[in-house]
Amino acid sequence: MAITDERPPAAADPADPEWVRCERCAALLYGRRFARALRVCPDCGAHARLTAAQRLAQLLDPGSAVPLTRALEPLRDPLGFTDTKPYVERLRAARASTGLDEAVLCAHGAIEQRPVVVAAMDFRFLGGSLGCAVGVQVEAAAHAALRMRLPLLLVTASGGARMQEGALSLMQMAKTAQALADLDAAGLLTVSLITDPTYGGVAASFATLPDVLLAEPGARLGFAGPRVIEQTTRQSLPEGFQTAEFLLGRGLLDDVVPRAALRATLGRLLRNSARPAFEDTPGGRSGVRGLAPGGSGRSPVSGRGGVGESPSGRDTAWQAVRLARHPDRPTAADYAAHILEDFQPLHGDRLTGDCPAILGGPARLTGSGSPVMFIGHHKGGPALAARQSHHFGMATPPGYRKAARLMRMAAKLGLPLLTLIDTPGANPGPEAEAGGQAYAIAENLRLMSQLPVPVVAVITGEGGSGGALALAVADRVLISENGVYSVISPEGCAAILWKDPTAAPTAAAALRMTAGDLARLGIVDGVVPEPPGGAHTDHAAAATLLGEAVTAAFEELLPYGPERLLGERRDRFHRFGLEEAP
């Protein structure tokens, strides 16, 4: 099917009825107003289904769509299947009613001037079912993206595999999964837009394999449909089961995006997926510590021993602990708002849920515009309720698994990784333990040691034990001037070794957990200055200093290729413990 409609997305189709009744709230809507609202009910917000052609017209820049769909293929009935009517007759009727060859329409075009390949499914064609021809076309779209080195966007709407093609339709799940694996190996971004409904073989293959999963409000996604589940289990399902909102709350989607915001969201993702150039130069640009243009005039990083020259006093160490824990200290979200552009937060571990103590997603560094993957512990802010809702920055297993997912995405896309660490430690609750907290942390340590991209970690406040280390296996580890980093909290250390919790200030000094101590030990590579009085006194100034330090660190690391990064990172952690501490 040729794509000839170049009207703006809000334009009404002459075939649209004059009046439309909303399927959810039954409101009677003026047809042209409904079309201008992108077929979203202005009364209840229900998102009506779009055809594949309407979807491409809404998402792609006007005039940019070039069809990838092949010329009309002959009707194929590989099994000679007949139920109440021959399968060939059903195919013929679907073609006549939809004007499509099959249940998917593929094109390459642009979204906010960023090129992309799109495969959009059409539920009108036999319920958007996955048959051989659909599998071939989705695979062809993936191969086109591979050939043109472009991101792939999949817009899904399907009842599942096509029963009339038997096991041959089942094989399309494997075929499309392999096509997406090829894009993973090539380092190309894949995005899925889940629309209502997406079930069965499509849900269990190419709909849920991409790097980023977005869904329209109310879209349903699952392997078995709710009626099948209720009939099989003889149990009633909770309200909203399998909806986008339900899945988002369980970490199975990255975001639920209203239709009017889809183009802007996809545009951010496409801009942020640009791969920076890497060079594996013998010496790199070691020692590059210069300020970014328009910098503060202060050194972005002090070397070993540059800050905290008097760590022996217990008062100095305890003061650092108190400043690191100050409730007004900038959070990961505060820093992101200042040092990042086009930040697109992503959610969920794709297994059990999401964790508000971990914030992350692709972005660009303010000033340089360089794409990065950002991950940070998020304490929530100064209000007690906010801190409680973010678990005081203590991540659960889903949080660490979400971070791991974003790290793998960074490795695939070649994005440098920036982590900000501010946590008392990993979440100690019984649910976290039952959920495999130790396993999740261990997996992150192994994963970070193998990431083939530059990794910069900054301890911006508290660096508590393994919960902090799970984001800190990096090429360059920096610490804010009033940050602390330790194997245990001073209170815990005092209770165990001193048998006296009031000895925490003494324990803090003994643990050598201040920035100056850590720099002299070689555990951190440098210390990021803070505004006078501490980062909590001026968030913007603190963020400027942090941004300059991060930029300087990446300037040093970006010329390094994967082999050098992995070798030096391995050697860095191998050396700890081989020499006596200073």
Side-chain angles (χ1 to χ4, degrees):
M1 174 183 176
I3 303 169
T4 58
D5 190 350
E6 297 183 3
R7 297 168 298 173
D13 191 315
D16 286 340
E18 186 175 1
W19 294 95
V20 178
R21 189 172 295 280
C22 175
E23 293 185 1
R24 180 194 291 173
C25 70
L28 193 61
L29 308 172
Y30 182 52
R32 291 184 178 274
R33 181 190 177 197
F34 186 56
R36 287 194 298 271
L38 302 176
R39 293 172 171 78
V40 176
C41 176
D43 291 348
C44 72
H47 284 53
R49 289 177 188 154
L50 297 182
T51 69
Q54 289 170 338
R55 186 68 66 178
L56 293 178
Q58 183 228 333
L59 294 177
L60 296 177
D61 296 345
S64 70
V66 178
L68 295 175
T69 307
R70 300 175 180 177
L72 187 68
E73 296 181 357
L75 296 173
R76 296 183 67 248
D77 181 8
L79 305 185
F81 192 95
T82 298
D83 44 63
T84 57
K85 65 172 64 173
Y87 176 43
V88 170
E89 288 188 17
R90 294 189 184 279
L91 286 172
R92 188 176 293 116
R95 286 187 173 183
S97 64
T98 64
L100 297 174
D101 299 348
E102 258 296 345
V104 66
L105 190 59
C106 305
H108 70 83
I111 298 176
E112 293 193 342
Q113 301 181 359
R114 302 297 302 187
V116 65
V117 173
V118 185
M121 302 191 75
D122 198 313
F123 194 79
R124 299 174 304 156
F125 197 107
L126 298 181
S129 52
L130 174 60
C132 293
V134 172
V136 166
Q137 292 192 29
V138 171
E139 180 187 49
H143 288 172
L146 185 63
R147 185 175 63 255
M148 293 185 280
R149 304 290 304 173
L150 295 179
L152 174 66
L153 169 63
L154 299 162
V155 185
T156 63
S158 176
R162 191 168 297 176
M163 294 176 289
Q164 295 92 335
E165 296 186 13
L168 291 172
S169 66
L170 192 65
M171 296 301 102
Q172 307 314 304
M173 296 170 62
K175 174 188 291 184
T176 54
Q178 181 57 56
L180 286 179
D182 292 341
L183 295 178
D184 289 340
L188 295 172
L189 177 71
T190 52
V191 180
S192 185
L193 171 57
I194 308 296
T195 74
D196 189 60
T198 297
Y199 280 111
V202 170
S205 59
F206 60 87
T208 51
L209 286 176
D211 301 308
V212 179
L213 300 186
L214 306 177
E216 289 191 324
R220 293 166 295 166
L221 170 70
F223 187 52
R227 184 165 53 186
V228 172
I229 296 172
E230 288 184 332
Q231 290 174 348
T232 302
T233 65
R234 298 182 180 179
Q235 294 179 357
S236 297
L237 298 175
E239 185 70 23
F241 183 74
Q242 293 184 323
T243 63
E245 294 76 11
F246 179 93
L247 298 169
L248 179 67
R250 283 152 182 78
L252 297 174
L253 294 176
D254 284 303
D255 213 347
V256 177
V257 184
R259 192 169 288 167
L262 280 172
R263 272 177 51 82
T265 301
L266 291 168
R268 281 194 297 272
L269 287 168
L270 294 175
R271 284 192 297 273
N272 293 342
S273 70
R275 178 187 289 268
F278 287 87
E279 300 175 28
D280 199 4
T281 57
R285 286 185 286 181
S286 299
V288 176
R289 299 287 183 180
L291 294 177
S296 68
R298 299 181 68 182
S299 173
V301 179
S302 299
R304 297 184 179 183
V307 175
E309 290 291 352
S310 302
S312 57
R314 63 173 238 156
D315 292 341
T316 301
W318 190 240
Q319 181 184 17
V321 171
R322 296 180 65 183
L323 284 173
R325 295 173 175 175
H326 198 290
D328 291 328
R329 201 165 176 84
T331 66
D334 294 326
Y335 280 120
H338 286 90
I339 70 172
L340 301 178
E341 299 173 357
D342 277 351
F343 176 44
Q344 178 62 49
L346 303 180
H347 301 280
D349 67 348
R350 302 278 176 87
L351 184 63
T352 60
D354 196 16
C355 175
I358 297 289
L359 177 69
R364 292 182 294 116
L365 289 176
T366 298
S368 69
S370 299
V372 296
M373 181 64 73
F374 172 80
I375 304 172
H377 290 103
H378 187 19
K379 285 186 172 178
L384 178 59
R387 295 167 80 83
Q388 290 173 329
S389 69
H390 287 79
H391 307 162
F392 296 91
M394 295 185 292
T396 59
Y400 290 118
R401 287 193 290 261
K402 173 173 69 173
R405 180 170 73 87
L406 298 181
M407 292 173 192
R408 293 187 184 97
M409 183 175 168
K412 172 185 169 179
L413 299 177
L415 298 179
L417 174 63
L418 170 62
T419 67
L420 300 187
I421 295 147
D422 187 11
T423 178
N427 193 295
E431 290 185 1
E433 283 296 313
Q437 185 74 287
Y439 301 89
I441 292 172
E443 285 296 332
N444 273 27
L445 303 184
R446 179 169 62 180
L447 174 62
M448 291 194 78
S449 71
Q450 299 170 339
L451 293 175
V453 296
V455 183
V456 174
V458 186
I459 301 157
T460 61
E462 291 183 273
S465 193
L469 183 62
L471 296 187
V473 181
D475 303 298
R476 296 292 179 269
V477 179
L478 309 178
I479 187 168
S480 293
E481 183 175 343
N482 294 304
V484 294
Y485 191 18
S486 177
V487 68
I488 190 172
S489 71
E491 293 88 346
C493 181
I496 295 171
L497 299 182
W498 276 264
K499 313 297 183 184
D500 179 7
T502 64
T506 302
L511 286 167
R512 301 171 76 173
M513 59 194 300
T514 67
D517 294 329
L518 297 163
R520 277 186 294 276
L521 290 168
I523 293 171
V524 301
D525 299 293
V527 180
V528 182
E530 295 186 18
H536 63 282
T537 64
D538 191 335
H539 287 194
T544 296
L545 292 164
L546 181 74
E548 291 169 352
V550 167
T551 298
F554 279 128
E555 283 180 348
E556 178 182 354
L557 293 170
L558 280 174
Y560 297 3
E563 184 175 352
R564 179 172 180 180
L565 289 169
L566 292 171
E568 293 192 4
R569 192 182 309 149
R570 187 182 305 111
D571 290 342
R572 171 195 180 91
F573 288 91
H574 172 71
R575 287 195 301 267
F576 290 136
L578 295 182
E579 299 175 357
E580 292 185 6

